[in-house]
Amino acid sequence: MTFVVVALISAVTATALAYRDARTAVLRRTQDAAVNDVRTRVTAVAADVDLPPDQRSLARFAAKVSDGLGSRIVVARYQDLVAVSDPLADTEGRITVGLRSAVRAGDGARFQRVMWRNEPYLVVGMPVTYADGDRRFSGLEVFAITDLRAERDDTAALLDSVRAGLLPVVVLAAVLALLAAGTVLRPVRKLGRATRELAEGDLGSRVTVTGHDELADLARTFNETADALQASDARLREQEAKARRFVADVSHELRTPLAAMTMVATVLEEDADQLPADAARAARTVGAETARLARLVEDLMEISRFDANAIRLNAAETDLADAVRASLALRGWTDRVEVRLDEGVRTVVDRRRVDVIVANLVGNALRHGAPPVTVTLGTRPAASAPGTPAGGVSAGPDQGWVTVEVADHGPGLPPEARERVFDRFYKADAARTRSADDTGGQGSGLGTAIALENARLHGGTIDVAEGAEGGAVFTLWLPLRRTGEEAE
């Protein structure tokens, strides 16, 4: 479009300039010829006129001047006498007052282009002077009226001819613009499409390289970058798969010796009262650490199953108020936690995994927060879904959300800790060797990560914020679904 507009403006400008120059040249040639003709004819005829003239001699003078000027109308004026070479011609409107004043001033021949009845005319006027050398004005004025319609028609024909050439010029410009745009923009569009595909995860996206210009260099650079990215992605995926297999294999291999260690530790703890004080303390420490190690191995195996997409929900419509109460009662937290549960809130969930989430969030609040710890169950409309919580959230269903909010009144979490609290093995206090993460004792930082994975498995998420009265507030978001509804 820019190419065509520039071509059109250039063509119009060139046409206007050509028309102006051609019109000026035609008119100048005509007016120069008219002035010379009038001056020559008047000089030749004026020698035979008697001054002062009467009406008859003045008319004869006008006729003689007109005879030598072809079709021009001649007007001769002497004071109040006026003679016209063509008595039927209306000359009053074609000779202006300004031109008469200029001629009367006696400063040589003058001319003026006028429009009379929408037709163009050239009027040349000159004074007749005495031939005694001092150019004294005799009082006789001569005006010759030349019709300019032929010149107007010539310049109009020229303008029409040039204007008719505008359409081919614009069409040619449009064709050239399309060819240029196709040559330049088509590779750019292909490159843009390939870039979008690459950004969407299609690492096999490539563009065809044609030519040896800058666009071809850009296409080659894009293909080389895509090749390097695909190779790097393949290496990372392979390393990640190896790391997952390693974690899963190590966790699996640790289960058997851990089972034996757990039995031995259990026996030692049971007989700890019969042992000396130092041995009893050591036996209880071994038992606690063995239990912690067993939980760590189970958490690692659970994370490995999430990474391998081997987790399946055993979902059923569940009363979440009953599920939350059962989770607290199973761990003996009923008296330590204040509950505010909306009754009758039912949705399709895997009850065991919801129990893991609730246990993790409440356990962390009890260990690292301060009382009172409150658990609030309610529902919220679809529009209130969190924007970008840790890990994001799937599109909420039209029915809304179920929320389980766990709040404490402890020191809370600083902003940098809130951003990473769901990272694997992250500990809010780097000075501590252990941080809380799941249902019992101290953990290694996997519990909140597992809780978030379980929430995502349901199509929900978990977010964390600072409480209005201090402390941390963890909120579990679960889609509100009924039996038979399609999962979001």
Side-chain angles (χ1 to χ4, degrees):
M1 290 299 296
T2 302
F3 195 92
V4 172
V5 169
V6 170
L8 181 60
I9 292 175
S10 301
V12 170
T13 303
T15 300
L17 293 175
Y19 172 74
R20 185 196 65 182
D21 293 344
R23 180 175 178 273
T24 301
V26 169
L27 292 177
R28 180 178 291 117
R29 184 175 65 249
T30 300
Q31 68 194 24
D32 289 346
V35 170
N36 290 332
D37 290 346
V38 170
R39 181 184 293 116
T40 302
R41 187 61 182 169
V42 168
T43 301
V45 175
D48 299 331
V49 67
D50 295 329
L51 295 175
D54 55 15
Q55 183 65 43
R56 179 177 295 180
S57 62
L58 188 63
R60 188 167 50 252
F61 171 75
K64 287 183 179 181
V65 174
S66 177
D67 288 342
L69 296 179
S71 61
R72 296 185 179 94
I73 300 173
V74 175
V75 178
R77 299 175 66 95
Y78 185 84
Q79 296 181 357
D80 295 333
L81 298 179
V82 178
V84 182
S85 61
D86 183 0
L88 300 179
D90 182 4
T91 62
E92 192 64 28
R94 286 182 268 189
I95 302 175
T96 65
V97 175
L99 181 61
R100 285 201 303 267
S101 300
V103 172
R104 191 172 294 116
D107 193 17
R110 298 284 180 165
F111 64 89
Q112 185 178 36
R113 290 193 297 270
V114 297
M115 293 295 296
W116 184 69
R117 295 179 181 176
N118 295 324
E119 299 293 344
Y121 293 91
L122 175 68
V123 182
V124 179
M126 64 178 294
V128 177
T129 59
Y130 290 104
D132 54 4
D134 57 0
R135 298 183 61 82
R136 289 180 298 116
F137 181 41
S138 66
L140 180 59
E141 303 167 4
V142 181
F143 298 91
I145 301 172
T146 303
D147 189 350
L148 293 180
R149 284 179 290 184
E151 287 74 10
R152 180 198 60 187
D153 294 341
D154 290 342
T155 55
L158 176 62
L159 180 62
D160 291 340
S161 176
V162 177
R163 185 184 297 145
L166 282 179
L167 181 60
V169 169
V170 173
V171 171
L172 178 61
V175 172
L176 293 176
L178 289 174
L179 292 176
T183 303
V184 176
L185 296 182
R186 190 179 299 111
V188 173
R189 292 193 186 100
K190 291 180 179 179
L191 185 61
R193 183 165 56 251
T195 303
R196 287 191 296 272
E197 292 172 353
L198 189 67
E200 292 170 357
D202 182 8
L203 300 183
S205 178
R206 300 292 186 273
V207 292
T208 303
V209 180
T210 56
H212 302 281
D213 55 7
E214 290 80 359
L215 287 174
D217 293 339
L218 181 60
R220 276 189 289 270
T221 302
F222 173 82
N223 289 341
E224 292 170 0
T225 303
D227 290 339
L229 183 61
Q230 189 174 28
S232 177
D233 179 74
R235 287 194 300 271
L236 290 175
R237 289 179 182 275
E238 183 180 359
Q239 293 173 2
E240 185 180 11
K242 288 181 179 179
R244 290 174 178 173
R245 284 196 301 271
F246 176 77
V247 172
D249 292 343
V250 169
S251 301
H252 182 74
E253 292 300 324
L254 286 176
R255 295 185 74 179
T256 301
L258 271 176
M261 291 172 61
T262 301
M263 288 188 295
V264 172
T266 302
V267 172
L268 289 175
E269 283 189 293
E270 290 176 351
D271 295 337
D273 294 337
Q274 303 174 12
L275 298 175
D278 291 342
R281 186 164 54 254
R284 294 189 179 94
T285 301
V286 169
E289 292 301 316
T290 301
R292 178 176 175 273
L293 183 58
R295 286 192 300 274
L296 175 60
V297 170
E298 291 298 328
D299 288 346
L300 287 173
M301 294 191 68
E302 185 76 355
I303 286 290
S304 299
R305 285 191 287 268
F306 277 115
D307 290 341
N309 292 323
I311 299 295
R312 295 294 180 269
L313 285 178
N314 183 20
E317 190 171 310
T318 303
D319 187 319
L320 286 184
D322 290 344
V324 171
R325 277 192 290 263
S327 181
L328 299 177
L330 179 63
R331 292 160 180 84
W333 294 339
T334 303
D335 296 335
R336 302 174 59 188
V337 176
E338 178 182 346
V339 295
R340 301 168 185 170
L341 309 178
D342 289 353
E343 300 297 334
V345 178
R346 302 179 65 84
T347 187
V348 176
V349 294
D350 186 328
R351 183 162 180 155
R352 184 183 69 83
R353 296 190 179 279
V354 172
D355 174 75
V356 171
I357 299 172
V358 173
N360 173 269
L361 300 182
V362 176
N364 279 343
L366 290 172
R367 282 188 297 275
H368 296 290
V373 174
T374 60
V375 177
T376 305
L377 170 67
T379 58
R380 298 189 189 181
S384 64
T388 54
V393 63
S394 64
D398 294 338
Q399 294 88 343
W401 299 89
V402 178
T403 58
V404 179
E405 185 179 282
V406 179
D408 65 72
H409 291 74
L413 291 171
E416 61 274 11
R418 288 199 295 270
E419 294 176 0
R420 300 188 55 196
V421 69
F422 296 102
D423 292 350
R424 296 175 184 181
F425 297 106
Y426 175 73
K427 299 179 181 181
D429 185 354
R432 296 184 311 195
T433 58
R434 300 174 184 174
S435 65
D437 70 310
D438 57 11
T439 61
Q442 302 294 329
S444 59
L446 287 175
T448 50
I450 292 174
L452 179 60
E453 293 290 350
N454 278 308
R456 289 175 177 171
L457 202 61
H458 287 84
T461 189
I462 303 174
D463 64 6
V464 59
E466 183 179 2
E469 300 178 1
V473 179
F474 285 80
T475 305
L476 167 65
W477 297 76
L478 295 174
L480 182 58
R481 301 192 188 102
R482 303 299 186 200
T483 303
E485 291 182 1
E486 183 180 354
E488 293 293 328

